[in-house]
Amino acid sequence: MSSRRAATAAAAALLVGGCDARVDRLPDWSGQWENVGATPSPDGGFYESLEQVLKELEWSPPLKPDSQAAIDRVVEIQRKAMAAMRDGIDPGGAVTACTFGFPTIMLESPLMFEILPTPKETALIFSSREIRHVYTDGREHPPEGDVWPTPWGDSVGRWEGDTLVIDTVAVKSAFPGRAGSAVIAFGGIEESQMIAFLSADAHFVERIRMLDNGLLENRMTITDPANLTGPWQMTRTYRRETHIDRMVHEDCEGEERNPIVDGKFTLTPPP
Amino acid sequence: MRMSPAPTRASIAIVALVTTSAALAHHSFAMFDQSTTVTLEGAVKEFRWTNPHVFIEMLVKNESGAEEQWSIEMTSPEHLARAGWRPATLKPGDAITLSIHPMREGIKGGQYLSGIGPNGPLVGSRFAPPEPAR
């Protein structure tokens, strides 16, 4: 085969399902990205108050009355837990996790991530070493009976020009003991909340594109008939990292020096 | 060592579910007294660039002139690197002034808030640098 014919064959092989998905037409989303508004500071807290974060998160799910009542009950319990935590008491509800799962990891995660578009699949790789696989080769979700809920769900996608449209189903909470997939809002210290109520039948559609100012925009629509009266829409933006040019991983299993002793977190000397 | 009141934090309207923790949800920072801010002046003994959290081990002279070791906890290397920190940002012997929330239980440790190193204010803090003692 001549080099020209080989190149033609290679290019043809990259055309996927009739979609405009050649390598040279994929957008350049290289680098590391962080969620605007969920950027941690060296003290371990976040620059914005939780109130501001929730405002930016467009926290207004169209809840069904039963769902609202269930959340209200838990809110009362958690208010007491937050007060106890501020007094230095471990209320037994603290989450220890390096896994965020979807949709939290896109909505309110302090993790940086990379996006690797290829013609047949786009991978989103996070510093927690979580990976979202978005298949863009024209396939559909697996049929019922062949798919089960996971913290990251099952994602298929397509390119509409330079916009990546991701369709995700079969999501469950990444947090042990929490029912439903979660949305987390961070703010200050001891002001973060985990909002976990979406059912495993929830359906997520994301539209990710680059804005003129260089930010990536993610417009997410969630439908969940078990809990919501209609679609819940949120928009988040991501910006490129400027102080680092490669991935740095998190590791929850590292040198942990904050054990719980007599019901309270403490600090141990260096090993 | 000087102690000063912490900035007042606005009360937060709780919208829904579960308080968890600071940083990467590694754990709560409830062991640090968020209502008290302490300024420490001393020298770096070791800058421990470790997961899940980084520590500044520093030597501080107490009122009798004896050196005491303090462990000052920061966030993760991933978060610090993004803010411009590196493992060599602080070296043993560096003179530093740190602003911290101290441990509640009297242990010589605290939560990092801001600091001044050999080359000026340390990067990335949301708090003003501490003012050195006169």
Side-chain angles (χ1 to χ4, degrees):
Chain A
M1 182 182 294
S2 71
S3 59
R4 182 175 180 180
R5 288 180 61 193
T8 302
L14 293 175
L15 289 170
V16 179
C19 297
D20 185 11
R22 283 184 1 201
V23 166
D24 59 357
R25 293 185 183 176
L26 293 171
D28 178 10
W29 291 351
S30 59
Q32 291 71 43
W33 297 87
E34 67 179 15
N35 195 333
V36 176
T39 304
S41 67
D43 59 275
F46 296 84
Y47 290 101
E48 297 176 320
S49 70
L50 179 59
E51 191 174 42
Q52 180 67 20
V53 170
L54 289 170
K55 182 180 178 182
E56 294 179 359
L57 187 60
E58 301 174 59
W59 174 254
S60 56
L63 290 168
K64 285 186 169 181
D66 286 351
S67 299
Q68 183 66 65
I71 288 176
D72 288 345
R73 285 193 296 273
V74 179
V75 165
E76 186 57 32
I77 296 171
Q78 292 305 318
R79 280 180 171 155
K80 294 177 181 176
M82 178 179 278
M85 198 176 276
R86 284 176 171 153
D87 288 337
I89 301 168
D90 168 33
V95 171
T96 300
C98 264
T99 299
F100 281 79
F102 180 83
T104 305
I105 207 161
M106 302 306 298
L107 288 173
E108 209 51 38
S109 155
L111 306 171
M112 64 174 171
F113 62 98
E114 296 182 355
I115 307 175
L116 280 63
T118 72
K120 295 185 178 182
E121 177 182 349
T122 292
L124 290 83
I125 304 174
F126 297 81
S127 60
S128 59
R129 288 171 283 188
E130 293 172 85
I131 301 175
R132 293 186 65 198
H133 298 273
V134 180
Y135 300 105
T136 56
D137 56 0
R139 77 179 69 182
E140 298 179 347
H141 293 296
E144 188 176 354
D146 199 20
V147 62
W148 55 92
T150 69
W152 308 276
D154 184 83
S155 297
V156 295
R158 65 182 184 277
W159 289 96
E160 294 182 359
D162 284 343
T163 298
L164 176 61
V165 183
I166 307 175
D167 188 296
T168 301
V169 297
V171 180
K172 74 171 186 179
S173 175
F175 295 86
R178 311 291 190 199
S181 53
V183 176
I184 283 183
F186 286 100
I189 288 287
E190 310 305 357
E191 295 175 0
S192 54
Q193 297 179 316
M194 185 166 71
I195 302 161
F197 69 95
L198 298 173
S199 78
D201 293 327
H203 180 196
F204 306 82
V205 176
E206 297 163 270
R207 298 182 63 86
I208 302 177
R209 66 183 180 121
M210 180 168 282
L211 305 176
D212 291 341
N213 58 10
L215 297 177
L216 283 179
E217 177 193 73
N218 186 358
R219 304 185 70 166
M220 182 183 294
T221 302
I222 303 173
T223 53
D224 184 16
N227 290 292
L228 305 177
T229 59
W232 181 18
Q233 296 180 319
M234 290 179 279
T235 302
R236 302 302 287 161
T237 52
Y238 315 111
R239 65 183 165 223
R240 276 195 171 99
E241 301 291 347
T242 56
H243 291 294
I244 196 163
D245 62 359
R246 63 200 62 205
M247 180 59 72
V248 177
H249 287 128
E250 296 279 1
D251 180 7
C252 275
E253 305 303 320
E255 191 176 284
E256 177 56 62
R257 292 174 58 184
N258 299 117
I260 295 175
V261 178
D262 296 332
K264 297 181 181 180
F265 285 102
T266 188
L267 174 60
T268 61
Chain B
M1 183 173 75
R2 295 176 294 125
M3 302 180 73
S4 57
T8 301
R9 186 186 304 281
S11 61
I12 302 300
I14 300 173
V15 178
L17 298 189
V18 190
T19 62
T20 54
S21 60
L24 183 62
H26 290 140
H27 55 66
S28 169
F29 271 21
M31 62 278 201
F32 303 119
D33 183 353
Q34 304 293 319
S35 66
T36 303
T37 300
V38 172
T39 299
L40 297 176
E41 294 183 8
V44 175
K45 181 182 180 186
E46 184 181 13
F47 187 39
R48 296 187 68 83
W49 190 260
T50 53
N51 270 308
H53 290 167
V54 171
F55 282 82
I56 302 171
E57 301 294 334
M58 67 181 296
L59 298 173
V60 180
K61 288 185 178 177
N62 62 20
E63 293 178 351
S64 64
E67 281 190 333
E68 297 175 328
Q69 183 167 336
W70 285 69
S71 296
I72 309 305
E73 186 163 0
M74 307 180 77
T75 185
S76 69
E78 190 258 29
H79 293 350
L80 287 174
R82 287 160 51 188
W85 288 70
R86 294 293 184 272
T89 296
L90 293 174
K91 299 179 179 63
D94 283 350
I96 55 172
T97 301
L98 301 185
S99 179
I100 68 164
H101 286 323
M103 286 286 292
R104 295 176 186 273
E105 306 298 327
I107 297 171
K108 289 182 172 47
Q111 175 196 354
Y112 174 88
L113 299 177
S114 63
I116 299 173
N119 300 314
L122 300 171
V123 298
S125 176
R126 61 179 174 158
F127 300 104
E131 295 182 9
R134 298 179 186 278

